[in-house]
Every structure is written in C-alpha cells, then in structure tokens.
C-alpha cells in the first residue's frame, strides 16, 4: 500500500516488570510500572514486609499494593542517590545503603541518615567511583550492617576498612585486617554464621567462628580454598547475596 510502519523498542531501564502469579516469565502490558525518569535506570530493588523499595540514581521510590490492580509507585526521597549498588542490604525490615548523604536507613515511610558520627570519613570518598570496591552484608542476629569500603587518602585500589553499624545502639566501629575487609560476603541461614571473601587474589572464604568462647576473638580463621570460578560466580551476585 506504500505505507511504512516502524516499530519502537519498549525496553525501559526505569521499568518494573511484574510477572504473573506462578508465571514469572510472563509479563502482561498492564503489569509494567515506570519508575521515575526514563534516563535513570533502576539500580537495585529490595523487598520489605509491606512494600518494595526501588533505588535509582535519581532518588528512592516505593511500590505499594497487594495486587496488580492497585500497585502504585511513589517517590520516597528525590534527594538521596545510591553510590554503590552492592552496599544495598535489607536489615530489620529496612534497607541500608551508601548514598550521596552517607549511610541511610530506608523504611516504608522515610529515609534517615544513620552515619552522621562518621560523616567526615564517608564524605571524603563519596566523590570517588565506589562500585568496584564497596560491598555490604546484613547480620540480623547481631543487629549489624557491615560496609566494606576504601578509606580516603590511601593508595589502596580495593576496600581496606569495614565500618560496622549496630542499629540497636546506633553506634559505629571500624574493622581492619586481611580477614575483616571483604570483596563479597553472605550470612548462611543454616548456621547463622558470616562467610566473607576477603579478595579474589586470596582464593579463600573466611568463616566466622561462633562457639561463644574466647577462641571466637583470637583473630584466627578457618580457610576453605575454592576455585576462582566459584568466587567469580559469587561476586557476580552482589555483595548482599
């Protein structure tokens, strides 16, 4: 007929694609939700008890609802931006992450700065590229958020300090040493112990002792050698997995 028709890509880096019940690979058009600006991709999504927190580099958003008929996305805070996606952790029904305003706690209703006491230490590194040398782990039973980063004014190209935050006492401490700074880590639910990958070069996993005796604090460790392919697979899942 001489009429030209041109298709357009409907891929949106700022979109949430919500699968059907028991069919996660099937996403009807009415199950798509745009979140904020199309120019800013979604960096991480974290599920809380009653909502979903969506983290982007143009702000923090929240999805509420109990079915696809009433899912709604609202802006929770447009002044807080994630600085390192692997710093995002769910802990005590809140999301913790390293942002442009330091470490923040994100709940269903608000965003709160929790790192005011160590702000000079974090402000000095926020202008750097933190994606490749920042990781975090949430430790529910110890009430801790562990953030491993590179200290300011050092020649190190990788993380060299872990800042430990206790959300009950709202206090911070710092951990240093080869086995307390990590490239990746996770908490194993079956034994409630912390497992850390210090660096890729060390080719080992450090396992926490938890025998409730003095040996727990001697600074020794049990090393489990693993092949580099396994470390790479673990690293690709993100620091919070």
């Amino acid at each position: 007929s001489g009429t030209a028709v041109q298709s357009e890509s409907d891929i949106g880096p700022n979109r949430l694609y919500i699968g059907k019940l028991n069919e996660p690979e099937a996403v009807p058009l009415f199950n798509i939700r745009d979140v904020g600006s199309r120019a800013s991709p979604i960096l991480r999504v974290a599920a809380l008890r009653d909502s979903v927190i969506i983290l982007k580099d143009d702000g923090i958003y929240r999805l509420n609802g109990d079915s696809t008929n009433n899912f709604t996305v609202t802006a929770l805070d447009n002044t807080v931006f994630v600085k390192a996606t692997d710093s995002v952790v769910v802990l005590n029904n809140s999301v913790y992450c390293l942002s442009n305003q330091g470490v923040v706690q994100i709940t269903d209703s608000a965003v709160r700065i929790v790192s005011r006491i160590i702000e000079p230490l974090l402000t000095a590194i926020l202008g750097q590229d933190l994606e490749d040398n920042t990781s975090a782990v949430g430790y529910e039973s110890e009430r801790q958020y562990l953030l491993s980063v590179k200290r300011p004014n050092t020649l190190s190209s990788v993380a060299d300090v872990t800042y430990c935050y206790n959300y009950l006492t709202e206090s911070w401490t710092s951990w240093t040493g080869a086995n307390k700074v990590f490239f990746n880590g996770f908490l194993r639910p079956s034994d409630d112990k912390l497992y850390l990958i210090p660096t890729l070069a060390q080719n080992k996993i450090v396992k926490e002792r938890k025998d409730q005796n003095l040996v727990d604090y001697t600074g020794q460790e049990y090393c489990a050698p693993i092949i580099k392919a396994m470390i790479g697979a673990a690293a690709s899942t993100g620091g919070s997995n």
Side-chain angles (χ1 to χ4, degrees):
S1 65
T3 301
V5 178
Q6 181 176 347
S7 65
E8 294 183 359
S9 172
D10 61 353
I11 296 176
N14 68 319
R15 285 181 170 177
L16 281 179
Y17 295 86
I18 306 168
K20 288 184 176 180
L21 182 64
N22 298 323
E23 295 182 66
E25 74 284 356
V27 182
L29 289 177
F30 56 80
N31 279 19
I32 297 174
R33 300 291 186 277
D34 287 320
V35 181
S37 169
R38 187 184 179 94
S40 299
I42 293 174
L43 301 177
R44 192 61 59 92
V45 175
L48 301 183
R49 184 185 58 211
D50 298 319
S51 64
V52 172
I53 302 299
I54 305 125
L55 301 104
K56 303 179 59 190
D57 57 11
D58 68 344
I60 309 296
Y61 297 80
R62 178 188 61 208
L63 180 141
N64 282 101
D66 52 23
S67 74
T68 53
N69 295 325
N70 61 11
F71 280 152
T72 57
V73 176
T74 56
L76 194 58
D77 196 317
N78 289 124
T79 64
V80 176
F81 318 120
V82 179
K83 294 294 292 184
T85 53
D86 284 345
S87 71
V88 179
V89 165
V90 177
L91 181 66
N92 191 37
N93 197 39
S94 299
V95 177
Y96 289 83
C97 70
L98 179 61
S99 75
N100 61 316
Q101 299 192 38
V103 176
V104 294
Q105 176 196 25
I106 306 167
T107 64
D108 287 323
S109 58
V111 179
R112 182 174 73 98
I113 299 171
V114 298
S115 61
R116 184 69 180 90
I117 194 171
I118 62 167
E119 190 166 286
L121 298 174
L122 296 180
T123 302
I125 64 171
L126 290 180
Q128 304 174 15
D129 183 6
L130 302 174
E131 280 293 336
D132 295 332
N133 52 34
T134 303
S135 189
V137 178
Y139 201 158
E140 287 284 2
S141 62
E142 296 291 335
R143 285 82 178 177
Q144 292 176 346
Y145 171 71
L146 307 176
L147 175 67
S148 201
V149 295
K150 189 178 76 168
R151 283 180 292 186
N153 304 318
T154 65
L155 299 178
S156 175
S157 59
V158 297
D160 57 2
V161 64
T162 295
Y163 295 117
C164 175
Y165 174 69
N166 186 300
Y167 66 78
L168 287 183
T169 62
E170 297 191 344
S171 59
W172 286 89
T173 57
S174 61
W175 298 354
T176 57
N179 296 320
K180 292 186 177 180
V181 178
F182 53 92
F183 171 79
N184 206 326
F186 60 94
L187 190 71
R188 188 181 180 191
S190 60
D191 60 6
D192 194 36
K193 291 182 180 180
L194 195 62
Y195 292 75
L196 301 177
I197 302 175
T199 67
L200 289 177
Q202 292 188 38
N203 195 30
K204 68 179 181 181
I205 290 179
V206 178
K207 174 185 175 182
E208 177 190 26
R209 286 190 307 275
K210 214 172 186 180
D211 299 322
Q212 306 301 326
N213 56 38
L214 292 177
V215 181
D216 287 353
Y217 306 97
T218 60
Q220 301 172 3
E221 78 281 345
Y222 299 118
C223 297
I226 56 177
I227 60 175
K228 290 186 178 180
M230 291 177 63
I231 296 180
S236 67
T237 63
S240 56
N241 296 320

